[in-house]
Amino acid sequence: MLQDIELSRRGFLGAGAGLVVGFHVPGLAQAQAGSQPPEVNAWVRVLPDDRVIIRIARSEMGQGTLTGLAQLVAEELDCDWAKVGTEQPTPGQNLARNRIWGNFSTGGSRGIRESQDYVRKGGAAARLMLVQAAAIEWKVPVAECRAARSVVTHVPSGRRVSYGQVAEAAGKLPVPTEVPLKDPKDWTIAGKPLLRLDTKDKLTGAQVYGMDLMLPGMLNAAIRDCPVFGGKVKSFDAAAIAKRPGVKKVVQVGDSAVAVVADTWWHAKTALDALPIVWDEGPNANASSEAFAAVLKAALDAPEAVVGNSHGDARAALSVAPRKLQAVYAYPHQNHATMETMNATARWTPTRCEVWTPTQNGEAALAATAEAAGLPAAMCEVYKINLGGGFGRRGAVHDWVRQAVAIAKELPGTPVKLIWSREEDMLHGRYHPVTMCKLQAGLDAQGNLTALHMRIAGQSILAGVFPQNVQNGRDPVVFQGLNPSGPEASIGYAVPNLLIDHAMRNPSVPPGFWRGVNLNQNAIYLECFLDEVAHATGQDPLAFRLKLMANHPKHRAVLEAAAKAAGWGTPAPAGVFRGIAQTMGFGSYVAAVAEVSVSPAGELKIHRIVAATDPGHVVNPQQVAMQVEGSFVYGLSAALYGECTLKNGRIEQSNFDTYPVMRMPQMPKVETVIVPSGGFWGGVGEPTIAVAAPAVLNAIFAATGVRIRELPLKNQSLKKA
């Protein structure tokens, strides 16, 4: 397999024959001519046997970014896709070369949309240099030469040469400053439903995840942090487990955790279970979900709030509206629950620290490594490993990496693999923020929406993760899907008088970016409330929305596409009812129609979901469909079951028996309608999560007359009203 080809982590920059080419990335330091070996800006390697190795800086966690980015590079390179493989540069190499590969962060559905331009230019620059090298060898004008499927042809004479034969010479040429890109309508590799490059290794078991990693002389560690957020270690009795099988050392990690290092992870884990630990539970020992819910409820009517979107005078319009409607919705804390728990392997010496870990952001992992190691970043390295699930947990916060390094410092020169147990992973996540929302609508005598006020009360992710990005009390992430018109997460309706504000209230539970982020609950709040308004005024939910979308053609287009594909307006099968929802997030426009039935006993069955998405450009339509299907698994699991509750300062759900996910028989049929309008690049992995729950909730109302305003559904009765 081409993708199995690797150079040593320290040695690949000094590779011999072959070509590594790149291009100027605006805002990044650029190597000067002659200051680097012939590879210059390392995006593409062409080996003498014509194999093409494309370097991918973003992380692969099942979403297909690795294949999609390779398709974009290969498209501009005009290479033979059958000979393409990939490899990942390290964040340390990126640092050493002035961030030549740019941003390593993979989150917010940005893996392709925010790097497509410069990776395409990398492929295009490589092609131009290969063609030029062939023309120089033949002593003919470059304009007479063409490239296709890894071969350069001199058109007048028919002479041909493979990329591998001219790669070394091409690598010595200046990098083109003007690199034209293909029109997407001319794509032959990108835009096609090609098979993923990483599938075979996953099927055969050849894929190594972080938990699989083995290094010579490696020890294993299990860890336990204080179960109460904000608590600390008071004492522990290491002597009590010192003679247990395989135990090497007991280590306090920071103020709040204790780890056991042993020859195997099971020996470490079972010894840790037997270790007497006394906790100082700190100021949050009595915190609970019920107490914080009261705080949120009060904040819904608090006089102070930060405005996220406003025009007209919503308060005044509401005060004089002939008819008013009001509802309060609530959304709980939720865990990422990645199948692979947090883990990292670290090796520390006074002059070098190395970490092997699944991470969504190699550069952030490197920064965490350096800080924990007490070494400059240039003396550290992180080797990224494909992730067994990320969903945002492995992005902004690298607490497990810091822990692994801290433990490894206690055993200099010895690699130590830290694996969190499932319970540790569940009890010490970075949780989806908890919020409530009070919505008030003003209607005229004809049932037209004249005013809308949305008051969101609840937790700020940025306040807990990047507090420096909270400006004047405003967390912009709170307003995803509710922003003014623009390229990112904008509201799809024109309401004459609109006010959307946020009363920030932060509990002891640490927040984090959770796949779909705040778009998830905001779509529920808005789409379900508009459904309430439509039904209360006797209007068809689709027609009611379309009246508000005259100035939002892309929102409207996906909504109409989903409705048409689902047969909205035509009879559903007997006993089946439909619900509809739309939103815009992560640069893309999405909509869904759900079909459900509810038995007299209140048992829900979701039969079908039809989803329409407009991401602008589509790199791999097969992968888009897979991502949409996967997003509904995630979104519906959250809607049905996803809830983390706090009692006595600690999370109550500790494993999948108390935090279930959807099973195969529960999964509905998903039909994906792709309606790319071009002209922009949107994300795919997250947007459709947000329309899963509101489409189903609206269908449940159509089936039962029961309006669900608080998730998860497992806590609600669906018996007909």
PDB file of all heavy atoms in Angstrom, residues 143-158:
ATOM      1  N   ALA A 143       5.336  25.457 -23.220  1.00  0.00           N
ATOM      2  CA  ALA A 143       3.978  25.524 -23.755  1.00  0.00           C
ATOM      3  C   ALA A 143       3.637  24.341 -24.645  1.00  0.00           C
ATOM      4  O   ALA A 143       2.459  24.071 -24.896  1.00  0.00           O
ATOM      5  CB  ALA A 143       3.789  26.825 -24.524  1.00  0.00           C
ATOM      6  N   GLU A 144       4.655  23.620 -25.111  1.00  0.00           N
ATOM      7  CA  GLU A 144       4.398  22.466 -25.978  1.00  0.00           C
ATOM      8  C   GLU A 144       4.206  21.174 -25.185  1.00  0.00           C
ATOM      9  O   GLU A 144       4.005  20.110 -25.780  1.00  0.00           O
ATOM     10  CB  GLU A 144       5.559  22.289 -26.967  1.00  0.00           C
ATOM     11  CG  GLU A 144       5.672  23.415 -27.988  1.00  0.00           C
ATOM     12  CD  GLU A 144       6.809  23.192 -28.982  1.00  0.00           C
ATOM     13  OE1 GLU A 144       7.574  22.209 -28.793  1.00  0.00           O
ATOM     14  OE2 GLU A 144       6.918  23.974 -29.930  1.00  0.00           O
ATOM     15  N   CYS A 145       4.281  21.271 -23.866  1.00  0.00           N
ATOM     16  CA  CYS A 145       4.225  20.070 -23.028  1.00  0.00           C
ATOM     17  C   CYS A 145       2.925  20.021 -22.230  1.00  0.00           C
ATOM     18  O   CYS A 145       2.378  21.050 -21.827  1.00  0.00           O
ATOM     19  CB  CYS A 145       5.419  20.020 -22.086  1.00  0.00           C
ATOM     20  SG  CYS A 145       7.024  20.015 -22.934  1.00  0.00           S
ATOM     21  N   ARG A 146       2.451  18.805 -21.975  1.00  0.00           N
ATOM     22  CA  ARG A 146       1.233  18.588 -21.214  1.00  0.00           C
ATOM     23  C   ARG A 146       1.481  17.509 -20.160  1.00  0.00           C
ATOM     24  O   ARG A 146       2.282  16.598 -20.364  1.00  0.00           O
ATOM     25  CB  ARG A 146       0.085  18.135 -22.136  1.00  0.00           C
ATOM     26  CG  ARG A 146      -0.313  19.155 -23.191  1.00  0.00           C
ATOM     27  CD  ARG A 146      -1.058  20.338 -22.586  1.00  0.00           C
ATOM     28  NE  ARG A 146      -1.494  21.271 -23.625  1.00  0.00           N
ATOM     29  CZ  ARG A 146      -0.762  22.284 -24.095  1.00  0.00           C
ATOM     30  NH1 ARG A 146       0.461  22.475 -23.609  1.00  0.00           N
ATOM     31  NH2 ARG A 146      -1.232  23.070 -25.022  1.00  0.00           N
ATOM     32  N   ALA A 147       0.751  17.611 -19.054  1.00  0.00           N
ATOM     33  CA  ALA A 147       0.865  16.630 -17.982  1.00  0.00           C
ATOM     34  C   ALA A 147      -0.475  15.932 -17.780  1.00  0.00           C
ATOM     35  O   ALA A 147      -1.528  16.576 -17.820  1.00  0.00           O
ATOM     36  CB  ALA A 147       1.298  17.301 -16.687  1.00  0.00           C
ATOM     37  N   ALA A 148      -0.427  14.632 -17.570  1.00  0.00           N
ATOM     38  CA  ALA A 148      -1.635  13.863 -17.276  1.00  0.00           C
ATOM     39  C   ALA A 148      -1.233  12.509 -16.704  1.00  0.00           C
ATOM     40  O   ALA A 148      -0.307  11.870 -17.224  1.00  0.00           O
ATOM     41  CB  ALA A 148      -2.485  13.672 -18.526  1.00  0.00           C
ATOM     42  N   ARG A 149      -1.891  12.093 -15.642  1.00  0.00           N
ATOM     43  CA  ARG A 149      -1.686  10.784 -15.020  1.00  0.00           C
ATOM     44  C   ARG A 149      -0.202  10.477 -14.777  1.00  0.00           C
ATOM     45  O   ARG A 149       0.311   9.429 -15.147  1.00  0.00           O
ATOM     46  CB  ARG A 149      -2.326   9.683 -15.842  1.00  0.00           C
ATOM     47  CG  ARG A 149      -3.848   9.757 -15.854  1.00  0.00           C
ATOM     48  CD  ARG A 149      -4.459   8.611 -16.646  1.00  0.00           C
ATOM     49  NE  ARG A 149      -4.098   7.308 -16.082  1.00  0.00           N
ATOM     50  CZ  ARG A 149      -4.722   6.743 -15.044  1.00  0.00           C
ATOM     51  NH1 ARG A 149      -5.746   7.359 -14.469  1.00  0.00           N
ATOM     52  NH2 ARG A 149      -4.328   5.554 -14.602  1.00  0.00           N
ATOM     53  N   SER A 150       0.496  11.452 -14.216  1.00  0.00           N
ATOM     54  CA  SER A 150       1.897  11.306 -13.813  1.00  0.00           C
ATOM     55  C   SER A 150       2.852  11.158 -14.991  1.00  0.00           C
ATOM     56  O   SER A 150       3.960  10.622 -14.840  1.00  0.00           O
ATOM     57  CB  SER A 150       2.079  10.119 -12.851  1.00  0.00           C
ATOM     58  OG  SER A 150       1.393  10.335 -11.641  1.00  0.00           O
ATOM     59  N   VAL A 151       2.443  11.639 -16.128  1.00  0.00           N
ATOM     60  CA  VAL A 151       3.296  11.596 -17.320  1.00  0.00           C
ATOM     61  C   VAL A 151       3.292  12.967 -17.988  1.00  0.00           C
ATOM     62  O   VAL A 151       2.237  13.594 -18.136  1.00  0.00           O
ATOM     63  CB  VAL A 151       2.810  10.529 -18.323  1.00  0.00           C
ATOM     64  CG1 VAL A 151       3.585  10.612 -19.638  1.00  0.00           C
ATOM     65  CG2 VAL A 151       2.936   9.139 -17.724  1.00  0.00           C
ATOM     66  N   VAL A 152       4.487  13.425 -18.393  1.00  0.00           N
ATOM     67  CA  VAL A 152       4.614  14.658 -19.164  1.00  0.00           C
ATOM     68  C   VAL A 152       4.838  14.272 -20.623  1.00  0.00           C
ATOM     69  O   VAL A 152       5.696  13.432 -20.929  1.00  0.00           O
ATOM     70  CB  VAL A 152       5.784  15.531 -18.671  1.00  0.00           C
ATOM     71  CG1 VAL A 152       5.863  16.818 -19.485  1.00  0.00           C
ATOM     72  CG2 VAL A 152       5.636  15.852 -17.190  1.00  0.00           C
ATOM     73  N   THR A 153       4.055  14.875 -21.520  1.00  0.00           N
ATOM     74  CA  THR A 153       4.141  14.574 -22.949  1.00  0.00           C
ATOM     75  C   THR A 153       4.502  15.825 -23.725  1.00  0.00           C
ATOM     76  O   THR A 153       3.940  16.898 -23.490  1.00  0.00           O
ATOM     77  CB  THR A 153       2.803  14.025 -23.473  1.00  0.00           C
ATOM     78  OG1 THR A 153       2.458  12.847 -22.735  1.00  0.00           O
ATOM     79  CG2 THR A 153       2.879  13.704 -24.956  1.00  0.00           C
ATOM     80  N   HIS A 154       5.480  15.696 -24.639  1.00  0.00           N
ATOM     81  CA  HIS A 154       5.768  16.759 -25.591  1.00  0.00           C
ATOM     82  C   HIS A 154       4.839  16.557 -26.783  1.00  0.00           C
ATOM     83  O   HIS A 154       4.987  15.597 -27.559  1.00  0.00           O
ATOM     84  CB  HIS A 154       7.238  16.709 -26.038  1.00  0.00           C
ATOM     85  CG  HIS A 154       7.588  17.783 -27.017  1.00  0.00           C
ATOM     86  ND1 HIS A 154       8.165  17.517 -28.239  1.00  0.00           N
ATOM     87  CD2 HIS A 154       7.409  19.134 -26.954  1.00  0.00           C
ATOM     88  CE1 HIS A 154       8.344  18.658 -28.900  1.00  0.00           C
ATOM     89  NE2 HIS A 154       7.896  19.648 -28.131  1.00  0.00           N
ATOM     90  N   VAL A 155       3.837  17.414 -26.889  1.00  0.00           N
ATOM     91  CA  VAL A 155       2.744  17.186 -27.827  1.00  0.00           C
ATOM     92  C   VAL A 155       3.216  17.058 -29.272  1.00  0.00           C
ATOM     93  O   VAL A 155       2.819  16.107 -29.985  1.00  0.00           O
ATOM     94  CB  VAL A 155       1.684  18.289 -27.680  1.00  0.00           C
ATOM     95  CG1 VAL A 155       0.573  18.106 -28.718  1.00  0.00           C
ATOM     96  CG2 VAL A 155       1.096  18.285 -26.263  1.00  0.00           C
ATOM     97  N   PRO A 156       4.074  17.951 -29.779  1.00  0.00           N
ATOM     98  CA  PRO A 156       4.458  17.833 -31.197  1.00  0.00           C
ATOM     99  C   PRO A 156       5.186  16.534 -31.537  1.00  0.00           C
ATOM    100  O   PRO A 156       4.960  15.950 -32.598  1.00  0.00           O
ATOM    101  CB  PRO A 156       5.374  19.045 -31.412  1.00  0.00           C
ATOM    102  CG  PRO A 156       4.939  20.030 -30.374  1.00  0.00           C
ATOM    103  CD  PRO A 156       4.590  19.191 -29.180  1.00  0.00           C
ATOM    104  N   SER A 157       6.068  16.072 -30.653  1.00  0.00           N
ATOM    105  CA  SER A 157       6.875  14.892 -30.982  1.00  0.00           C
ATOM    106  C   SER A 157       6.332  13.596 -30.392  1.00  0.00           C
ATOM    107  O   SER A 157       6.720  12.504 -30.814  1.00  0.00           O
ATOM    108  CB  SER A 157       8.308  15.089 -30.474  1.00  0.00           C
ATOM    109  OG  SER A 157       8.328  15.105 -29.043  1.00  0.00           O
ATOM    110  N   GLY A 158       5.478  13.705 -29.395  1.00  0.00           N
ATOM    111  CA  GLY A 158       4.963  12.517 -28.731  1.00  0.00           C
ATOM    112  C   GLY A 158       5.891  11.936 -27.681  1.00  0.00           C
ATOM    113  O   GLY A 158       5.594  10.889 -27.084  1.00  0.00           O
TER     114      GLY A 158
END
